[in-house]
Amino acid sequence: MKETQRLWLMFPTKLITRPVIWELGKKFPVVTNIRQASVTDEIGVVSLSIEGEREENKKAIAWLEDLGVKVEPVEINTIEG
């Protein structure tokens, strides 16, 4: 069953120039949608939704964390805009 998860991703300095979200979409059968992003020379913060089978979403999130990306769920009560 497909599900969509909204996540906050915090990228460390060493990953800012790497196309991590593109890689994620190539490695895993998930659809990525960048909802918001703020990137500086020191840190990247991205609000990302991923849609896919629950197990694939879990694998994709684990891969991000293994790379050094901090992943947190977007709170349910966030106002859609």
Coordinates of all heavy atoms in Angstrom, one line a residue:
M1 N 0.8 -1.2 0.0 CA 0.0 0.0 0.0 C 0.9 1.2 0.0 O 1.8 1.4 0.8 CB -0.9 0.0 1.3 CG -1.8 1.1 1.3 SD -3.0 0.9 2.7 CE -2.5 2.4 3.7
K2 N 0.6 2.2 -0.9 CA 1.4 3.4 -1.0 C 1.0 4.3 0.1 O -0.2 4.4 0.5 CB 1.2 4.1 -2.3 CG 1.9 3.4 -3.5 CD 2.0 4.3 -4.7 CE 2.6 3.7 -5.9 NZ 4.0 3.4 -5.9
E3 N 2.0 5.0 0.6 CA 1.7 6.1 1.6 C 2.7 7.2 1.4 O 3.7 7.0 0.8 CB 1.8 5.6 3.0 CG 3.2 5.1 3.5 CD 3.2 4.6 4.9 OE1 2.2 4.0 5.4 OE2 4.2 4.9 5.6
T4 N 2.3 8.4 1.8 CA 3.1 9.6 1.7 C 3.6 10.0 3.0 O 2.8 10.1 4.0 CB 2.3 10.7 1.0 OG1 1.8 10.3 -0.3 CG2 3.1 12.0 0.8
Q5 N 4.8 10.3 3.1 CA 5.4 10.8 4.4 C 6.0 12.2 4.1 O 6.7 12.4 3.1 CB 6.5 9.9 4.9 CG 5.9 8.6 5.4 CD 7.0 7.7 6.0 OE1 7.6 6.9 5.2 NE2 7.3 7.8 7.3
R6 N 5.7 13.1 5.0 CA 6.4 14.4 5.0 C 7.5 14.5 6.0 O 7.3 14.1 7.1 CB 5.4 15.5 5.3 CG 4.2 15.6 4.3 CD 4.2 16.7 3.3 NE 4.8 17.9 3.6 CZ 4.1 19.1 3.9 NH1 2.8 19.1 4.0 NH2 4.8 20.2 4.0
L7 N 8.7 14.9 5.5 CA 9.9 14.8 6.4 C 10.6 16.1 6.3 O 10.6 16.9 5.3 CB 10.8 13.7 5.8 CG 10.2 12.3 5.6 CD1 11.2 11.5 4.8 CD2 9.9 11.7 7.0
W8 N 11.3 16.4 7.4 CA 12.3 17.5 7.4 C 13.7 16.8 7.3 O 13.9 15.9 8.1 CB 12.3 18.3 8.7 CG 11.2 19.3 8.8 CD1 10.0 19.2 9.6 CD2 11.0 20.5 8.0 NE1 9.2 20.3 9.3 CE2 9.8 21.1 8.4 CE3 11.8 21.1 7.1 CZ2 9.4 22.3 7.9 CZ3 11.4 22.3 6.5 CH2 10.2 22.9 6.9
L9 N 14.5 17.3 6.4 CA 15.8 16.7 6.2 C 16.8 17.8 6.5 O 16.7 18.9 6.0 CB 16.0 16.2 4.8 CG 15.0 15.3 4.2 CD1 15.4 14.9 2.7 CD2 14.9 14.0 5.0
M10 N 17.8 17.5 7.4 CA 18.9 18.5 7.7 C 20.2 17.9 7.1 O 20.6 16.8 7.6 CB 19.0 18.7 9.2 CG 18.1 19.7 9.7 SD 16.3 19.4 9.8 CE 16.2 18.0 10.9
F11 N 20.7 18.6 6.2 CA 21.9 18.1 5.5 C 23.2 18.7 6.1 O 23.2 20.0 6.3 CB 21.9 18.5 4.0 CG 20.9 17.7 3.2 CD1 19.6 18.2 3.2 CD2 21.2 16.6 2.5 CE1 18.6 17.5 2.4 CE2 20.3 15.9 1.8 CZ 19.0 16.4 1.7
P12 N 24.2 17.9 6.5 CA 25.4 18.5 7.0 C 26.2 19.1 5.8 O 25.9 18.9 4.7 CB 26.2 17.3 7.6 CG 25.6 16.1 6.8 CD 24.2 16.5 6.5
T13 N 27.2 20.0 6.2 CA 28.0 20.7 5.2 C 28.5 19.8 4.1 O 28.4 20.1 2.9 CB 29.1 21.4 5.9 OG1 28.6 22.2 7.0 CG2 29.9 22.3 5.0
K14 N 29.0 18.6 4.5 CA 29.7 17.7 3.5 C 28.7 17.2 2.4 O 29.1 16.8 1.4 CB 30.4 16.6 4.2 CG 29.4 15.6 4.9 CD 30.1 14.5 5.5 CE 29.0 13.6 6.2 NZ 29.5 12.3 6.6
L15 N 27.4 17.3 2.7 CA 26.4 16.7 1.7 C 25.7 17.8 0.9 O 24.9 17.5 0.0 CB 25.4 15.9 2.4 CG 25.9 14.5 3.0 CD1 24.8 13.8 3.7 CD2 26.5 13.7 1.9
I16 N 25.9 19.1 1.2 CA 25.2 20.1 0.6 C 25.2 20.2 -0.9 O 24.2 20.4 -1.6 CB 25.5 21.5 1.2 CG1 25.0 21.6 2.6 CG2 25.0 22.7 0.3 CD1 25.4 22.8 3.4
T17 N 26.4 19.9 -1.5 CA 26.5 19.9 -3.0 C 26.2 18.6 -3.6 O 26.2 18.5 -4.9 CB 28.0 20.4 -3.4 OG1 28.9 19.5 -2.8 CG2 28.2 21.8 -2.9
R18 N 26.0 17.5 -2.9 CA 25.7 16.2 -3.4 C 24.2 16.1 -3.8 O 23.3 16.6 -3.0 CB 26.0 15.1 -2.4 CG 25.8 13.7 -2.9 CD 26.4 12.7 -1.9 NE 25.9 11.4 -2.2 CZ 26.3 10.3 -1.6 NH1 27.2 10.4 -0.6 NH2 25.8 9.1 -1.9
P19 N 23.8 15.6 -4.9 CA 22.4 15.5 -5.3 C 21.7 14.3 -4.6 O 21.2 13.4 -5.3 CB 22.5 15.3 -6.8 CG 23.8 14.5 -7.0 CD 24.7 15.1 -6.0
V20 N 21.6 14.4 -3.3 CA 21.1 13.3 -2.5 C 19.6 13.0 -2.8 O 19.3 11.8 -2.9 CB 21.2 13.7 -1.0 CG1 20.5 12.7 -0.1 CG2 22.7 13.8 -0.6
I21 N 18.8 14.0 -3.0 CA 17.4 13.7 -3.3 C 17.2 13.0 -4.7 O 16.4 12.1 -4.8 CB 16.5 15.0 -3.2 CG1 16.5 15.4 -1.7 CG2 15.1 14.8 -3.6 CD1 16.0 16.8 -1.4
W22 N 18.0 13.5 -5.6 CA 18.0 12.8 -6.9 C 18.4 11.3 -6.8 O 17.8 10.4 -7.4 CB 18.9 13.5 -7.9 CG 19.1 12.9 -9.2 CD1 18.2 13.0 -10.3 CD2 20.1 12.0 -9.7 NE1 18.7 12.3 -11.4 CE2 19.8 11.6 -11.0 CE3 21.2 11.5 -9.0 CZ2 20.6 10.7 -11.7 CZ3 22.0 10.6 -9.8 CH2 21.7 10.2 -11.1
E23 N 19.5 11.1 -6.0 CA 20.0 9.7 -5.8 C 18.9 8.9 -5.1 O 18.7 7.7 -5.5 CB 21.2 9.7 -4.9 CG 22.5 10.3 -5.5 CD 23.6 10.3 -4.6 OE1 23.8 9.4 -3.8 OE2 24.4 11.3 -4.7
L24 N 18.2 9.5 -4.2 CA 17.1 8.8 -3.5 C 16.1 8.3 -4.4 O 15.6 7.1 -4.4 CB 16.5 9.8 -2.4 CG 15.4 9.2 -1.6 CD1 16.0 8.3 -0.5 CD2 14.6 10.3 -0.9
G25 N 15.7 9.1 -5.4 CA 14.7 8.8 -6.4 C 15.2 7.7 -7.4 O 14.4 7.0 -7.9
K26 N 16.5 7.6 -7.5 CA 17.1 6.6 -8.4 C 17.2 5.3 -7.7 O 17.0 4.2 -8.3 CB 18.4 7.0 -8.9 CG 18.4 8.2 -9.9 CD 17.9 7.7 -11.2 CE 18.2 8.6 -12.4 NZ 17.6 8.1 -13.6
K27 N 17.6 5.3 -6.4 CA 17.8 4.1 -5.7 C 16.6 3.4 -5.2 O 16.6 2.1 -5.1 CB 18.7 4.4 -4.4 CG 20.1 4.6 -4.6 CD 20.8 4.8 -3.3 CE 22.2 4.6 -3.2 NZ 22.7 3.3 -3.8
F28 N 15.5 4.1 -4.9 CA 14.3 3.6 -4.3 C 13.1 3.9 -5.2 O 13.0 5.0 -5.7 CB 14.1 4.1 -2.9 CG 15.3 3.8 -2.0 CD1 16.3 4.7 -1.8 CD2 15.4 2.6 -1.4 CE1 17.4 4.4 -1.0 CE2 16.5 2.3 -0.6 CZ 17.5 3.2 -0.4
P29 N 12.1 3.0 -5.3 CA 10.9 3.3 -6.0 C 9.9 4.2 -5.3 O 8.9 3.8 -4.9 CB 10.3 1.9 -6.3 CG 10.7 1.1 -5.1 CD 12.1 1.7 -4.7
V30 N 10.4 5.5 -5.0 CA 9.6 6.4 -4.3 C 9.5 7.7 -5.1 O 10.4 8.0 -5.9 CB 10.2 6.8 -2.9 CG1 10.2 5.5 -2.0 CG2 11.6 7.4 -3.0
V31 N 8.5 8.4 -5.0 CA 8.3 9.7 -5.6 C 8.7 10.8 -4.6 O 8.1 10.8 -3.5 CB 6.8 9.9 -6.1 CG1 6.7 11.3 -6.7 CG2 6.5 8.9 -7.1
T32 N 9.6 11.7 -5.0 CA 10.0 12.7 -4.1 C 9.4 14.1 -4.5 O 9.3 14.3 -5.7 CB 11.6 12.9 -4.1 OG1 12.0 13.1 -5.4 CG2 12.2 11.6 -3.5
N33 N 9.1 14.9 -3.6 CA 8.5 16.2 -3.9 C 9.1 17.2 -2.8 O 8.8 17.1 -1.7 CB 7.0 16.2 -3.8 CG 6.4 17.5 -4.2 OD1 7.0 18.4 -4.7 ND2 5.1 17.6 -4.0
I34 N 9.9 18.1 -3.3 CA 10.5 19.1 -2.4 C 9.4 20.2 -2.1 O 8.9 20.8 -3.0 CB 11.7 19.8 -3.0 CG1 12.8 18.7 -3.2 CG2 12.2 20.9 -2.1 CD1 14.0 19.2 -4.0
R35 N 9.0 20.3 -0.9 CA 8.0 21.3 -0.5 C 8.6 22.6 0.0 O 7.9 23.6 -0.2 CB 7.2 20.7 0.7 CG 6.7 19.3 0.5 CD 5.5 19.2 -0.4 NE 4.4 20.0 0.3 CZ 3.2 20.1 -0.2 NH1 2.9 19.6 -1.4 NH2 2.3 20.8 0.4
Q36 N 9.8 22.6 0.5 CA 10.4 23.8 1.0 C 11.9 23.5 1.1 O 12.2 22.4 1.4 CB 9.8 24.2 2.3 CG 10.2 25.5 2.9 CD 9.4 25.8 4.2 OE1 8.4 25.1 4.5 NE2 9.9 26.7 4.9
A37 N 12.7 24.5 0.9 CA 14.2 24.3 1.1 C 14.9 25.6 1.5 O 14.5 26.7 1.0 CB 14.8 23.7 -0.1
S38 N 15.9 25.4 2.3 CA 16.8 26.6 2.6 C 18.2 26.0 2.7 O 18.4 25.1 3.5 CB 16.4 27.1 4.0 OG 17.3 28.1 4.4
V39 N 19.0 26.5 1.8 CA 20.4 26.0 1.8 C 21.4 27.1 1.9 O 21.3 28.1 1.2 CB 20.6 25.2 0.4 CG1 22.0 24.7 0.4 CG2 19.6 24.1 0.3
T40 N 22.4 26.9 2.8 CA 23.5 27.9 2.9 C 24.8 27.1 2.7 O 24.7 25.9 2.4 CB 23.5 28.5 4.3 OG1 23.8 27.6 5.3 CG2 22.2 29.2 4.6
D41 N 25.9 27.8 2.9 CA 27.2 27.0 2.8 C 27.4 26.1 3.9 O 28.2 25.1 3.8 CB 28.4 28.0 2.8 CG 28.4 28.9 1.5 OD1 27.8 28.4 0.5 OD2 29.0 29.9 1.5
E42 N 26.7 26.3 5.0 CA 26.9 25.5 6.2 C 25.9 24.3 6.4 O 26.2 23.3 7.0 CB 26.9 26.3 7.5 CG 28.0 27.3 7.6 CD 27.8 28.6 6.9 OE1 26.7 29.1 6.9 OE2 28.8 29.1 6.3
I43 N 24.6 24.6 6.0 CA 23.6 23.6 6.3 C 22.5 23.7 5.2 O 22.2 24.7 4.6 CB 23.0 23.8 7.7 CG1 22.1 22.6 8.1 CG2 22.2 25.1 7.8 CD1 21.8 22.5 9.5
G44 N 21.9 22.5 5.0 CA 20.7 22.5 4.1 C 19.5 21.9 4.8 O 19.7 20.9 5.5
V45 N 18.4 22.6 4.8 CA 17.2 22.1 5.4 C 16.1 22.0 4.3 O 15.8 22.9 3.6 CB 16.7 23.1 6.5 CG1 15.4 22.6 7.1 CG2 17.8 23.3 7.5
V46 N 15.5 20.8 4.2 CA 14.6 20.5 3.1 C 13.3 19.9 3.7 O 13.4 18.9 4.5 CB 15.2 19.6 2.0 CG1 14.1 19.3 1.0 CG2 16.4 20.3 1.4
S47 N 12.1 20.4 3.3 CA 10.9 19.7 3.6 C 10.6 18.9 2.4 O 10.4 19.4 1.3 CB 9.8 20.7 3.9 OG 8.5 20.1 4.0
L48 N 10.5 17.6 2.6 CA 10.4 16.6 1.5 C 9.2 15.7 1.7 O 9.1 15.2 2.9 CB 11.7 15.8 1.3 CG 11.7 14.8 0.2 CD1 11.9 15.6 -1.2 CD2 12.8 13.8 0.4
S49 N 8.4 15.5 0.7 CA 7.4 14.4 0.8 C 7.9 13.2 0.0 O 8.4 13.5 -1.1 CB 6.0 14.8 0.5 OG 5.9 15.1 -0.9
I50 N 7.8 12.0 0.5 CA 8.1 10.8 -0.3 C 6.9 10.0 -0.3 O 6.2 9.8 0.7 CB 9.3 10.1 0.2 CG1 9.1 9.5 1.6 CG2 10.6 10.9 0.1 CD1 10.2 8.6 2.1
E51 N 6.6 9.4 -1.5 CA 5.4 8.6 -1.7 C 5.9 7.2 -2.2 O 6.6 7.2 -3.2 CB 4.4 9.2 -2.6 CG 3.2 8.3 -2.8 CD 2.2 8.9 -3.9 OE1 2.3 10.1 -4.1 OE2 1.4 8.1 -4.4
G52 N 5.5 6.2 -1.6 CA 5.9 4.8 -2.0 C 5.3 3.8 -1.1 O 4.6 4.1 -0.1
E53 N 5.7 2.6 -1.3 CA 5.3 1.5 -0.4 C 6.0 1.7 0.9 O 7.1 2.2 1.0 CB 5.7 0.1 -1.0 CG 5.1 -0.2 -2.3 CD 3.6 -0.5 -2.2 OE1 3.1 -0.9 -1.1 OE2 2.9 -0.2 -3.2
R54 N 5.3 1.4 2.0 CA 5.8 1.7 3.4 C 7.2 1.2 3.5 O 8.1 1.9 4.1 CB 4.9 1.1 4.4 CG 5.4 1.2 5.8 CD 4.4 0.7 6.8 NE 3.3 1.7 6.9 CZ 2.2 1.5 7.6 NH1 2.1 0.3 8.3 NH2 1.3 2.4 7.7
E55 N 7.5 -0.1 3.1 CA 8.8 -0.6 3.3 C 9.9 0.1 2.5 O 11.0 0.3 3.0 CB 8.8 -2.1 2.9 CG 8.3 -3.0 4.0 CD 8.9 -2.8 5.4 OE1 10.2 -2.9 5.5 OE2 8.2 -2.6 6.3
E56 N 9.5 0.5 1.3 CA 10.5 1.3 0.5 C 10.7 2.7 1.1 O 11.9 3.2 1.1 CB 10.0 1.5 -0.9 CG 9.9 0.2 -1.7 CD 11.2 -0.6 -1.8 OE1 12.3 0.1 -1.9 OE2 11.2 -1.8 -1.8
N57 N 9.7 3.3 1.7 CA 9.9 4.6 2.4 C 10.9 4.4 3.5 O 11.8 5.2 3.7 CB 8.6 5.1 2.9 CG 7.7 5.6 1.8 OD1 8.0 5.7 0.6 ND2 6.5 6.1 2.1
K58 N 10.7 3.3 4.3 CA 11.5 3.0 5.4 C 13.0 2.9 5.0 O 13.9 3.4 5.6 CB 11.1 1.8 6.2 CG 9.9 2.0 7.1 CD 9.6 0.7 7.8 CE 8.3 0.8 8.7 NZ 8.0 -0.5 9.3
K59 N 13.2 2.1 3.9 CA 14.5 1.9 3.4 C 15.2 3.2 2.9 O 16.4 3.4 3.2 CB 14.5 0.9 2.2 CG 14.2 -0.5 2.6 CD 14.1 -1.4 1.4 CE 13.6 -2.8 1.7 NZ 13.4 -3.6 0.4
A60 N 14.4 4.0 2.3 CA 14.9 5.3 1.8 C 15.3 6.2 2.9 O 16.4 6.8 2.9 CB 13.8 6.0 0.9
I61 N 14.5 6.2 4.0 CA 14.8 7.0 5.2 C 16.1 6.5 5.8 O 17.0 7.3 6.2 CB 13.6 7.1 6.1 CG1 12.5 7.9 5.5 CG2 14.0 7.7 7.5 CD1 11.1 7.8 6.2
A62 N 16.2 5.2 6.0 CA 17.4 4.6 6.6 C 18.6 4.9 5.8 O 19.7 5.2 6.3 CB 17.2 3.1 6.7
W63 N 18.5 4.9 4.4 CA 19.6 5.3 3.6 C 20.1 6.7 3.8 O 21.3 7.0 3.9 CB 19.3 5.0 2.1 CG 20.3 5.4 1.1 CD1 21.4 4.7 0.8 CD2 20.4 6.6 0.4 NE1 22.2 5.4 -0.1 CE2 21.5 6.5 -0.4 CE3 19.6 7.7 0.2 CZ2 21.9 7.6 -1.3 CZ3 19.9 8.7 -0.6 CH2 21.1 8.7 -1.4
L64 N 19.1 7.6 3.9 CA 19.4 9.0 4.2 C 20.1 9.2 5.5 O 21.1 9.9 5.6 CB 18.1 9.9 4.2 CG 17.4 10.2 2.9 CD1 16.0 10.7 3.1 CD2 18.3 11.1 2.0
E65 N 19.6 8.5 6.5 CA 20.3 8.6 7.9 C 21.7 8.0 7.8 O 22.6 8.6 8.5 CB 19.4 7.9 8.9 CG 18.1 8.6 9.1 CD 17.1 7.9 10.1 OE1 17.2 6.6 10.1 OE2 16.3 8.6 10.7
D66 N 21.9 6.9 7.1 CA 23.2 6.3 7.0 C 24.2 7.3 6.3 O 25.4 7.3 6.6 CB 23.2 5.0 6.2 CG 22.6 3.9 7.0 OD1 22.4 4.0 8.2 OD2 22.3 2.8 6.3
L67 N 23.7 8.1 5.4 CA 24.5 9.1 4.7 C 24.9 10.3 5.7 O 25.9 11.0 5.4 CB 23.8 9.8 3.6 CG 23.7 9.1 2.2 CD1 23.0 10.0 1.2 CD2 25.1 8.7 1.7
G68 N 24.2 10.5 6.7 CA 24.4 11.6 7.7 C 23.4 12.6 7.6 O 23.6 13.7 8.2
V69 N 22.3 12.4 7.0 CA 21.2 13.4 6.9 C 20.3 13.1 8.2 O 20.0 12.0 8.5 CB 20.3 13.2 5.6 CG1 19.1 14.1 5.6 CG2 21.2 13.4 4.4
K70 N 20.0 14.2 8.9 CA 19.1 14.1 10.0 C 17.6 14.1 9.5 O 17.3 15.0 8.7 CB 19.3 15.2 11.0 CG 18.5 15.1 12.3 CD 18.9 16.1 13.3 CE 18.0 16.0 14.5 NZ 18.1 17.2 15.4
V71 N 16.8 13.1 9.8 CA 15.5 13.0 9.2 C 14.5 13.1 10.4 O 14.6 12.3 11.4 CB 15.3 11.7 8.5 CG1 13.9 11.6 7.9 CG2 16.3 11.5 7.4
E72 N 13.5 14.0 10.3 CA 12.4 14.1 11.3 C 11.1 14.2 10.6 O 11.0 14.9 9.5 CB 12.6 15.3 12.1 CG 13.9 15.3 13.0 CD 14.0 16.5 13.9 OE1 13.2 17.5 13.8 OE2 15.0 16.6 14.7
P73 N 10.1 13.6 11.1 CA 8.7 13.7 10.5 C 8.2 15.1 10.6 O 8.5 15.8 11.7 CB 7.9 12.7 11.2 CG 8.6 12.5 12.5 CD 10.0 12.7 12.3
V74 N 7.5 15.6 9.6 CA 6.8 16.9 9.8 C 5.6 16.6 10.7 O 4.9 15.6 10.5 CB 6.3 17.4 8.4 CG1 5.4 18.6 8.5 CG2 7.5 17.7 7.5
E75 N 5.3 17.5 11.6 CA 4.2 17.3 12.5 C 2.9 17.2 11.8 O 2.7 18.0 10.8 CB 4.2 18.4 13.6 CG 5.4 18.5 14.5 CD 5.6 17.2 15.3 OE1 4.6 16.6 15.8 OE2 6.7 16.8 15.4
I76 N 2.0 16.4 12.3 CA 0.7 16.2 11.6 C -0.1 17.5 11.5 O -0.8 17.7 10.6 CB -0.1 15.1 12.4 CG1 0.7 13.8 12.4 CG2 -1.5 14.9 11.8 CD1 1.0 13.2 11.1
N77 N 0.0 18.3 12.6 CA -0.8 19.5 12.6 C -0.2 20.7 11.9 O -0.7 21.8 12.0 CB -1.1 19.9 14.1 CG 0.2 20.2 14.8 OD1 1.3 20.2 14.3 ND2 0.0 20.6 16.1
T78 N 0.8 20.4 11.0 CA 1.4 21.5 10.2 C 0.3 22.0 9.2 O -0.4 21.2 8.6 CB 2.6 21.0 9.4 OG1 3.6 20.5 10.4 CG2 3.2 22.1 8.5
I79 N 0.2 23.3 9.1 CA -0.8 23.9 8.1 C -0.3 23.7 6.7 O 0.8 24.1 6.4 CB -1.0 25.4 8.4 CG1 -1.6 25.6 9.8 CG2 -1.9 26.0 7.4 CD1 -1.6 27.0 10.3
E80 N -1.1 23.1 5.9 CA -0.8 22.9 4.5 C -0.9 24.3 3.8 O -1.8 25.0 4.0 CB -1.8 21.9 3.8 CG -1.7 20.5 4.3 CD -0.5 19.8 3.7 OE1 -0.1 20.1 2.5 OE2 0.1 18.9 4.3
G81 N 0.1 24.5 2.9 CA 0.1 25.8 2.3 C 0.5 25.7 0.8 O 1.1 24.9 0.4

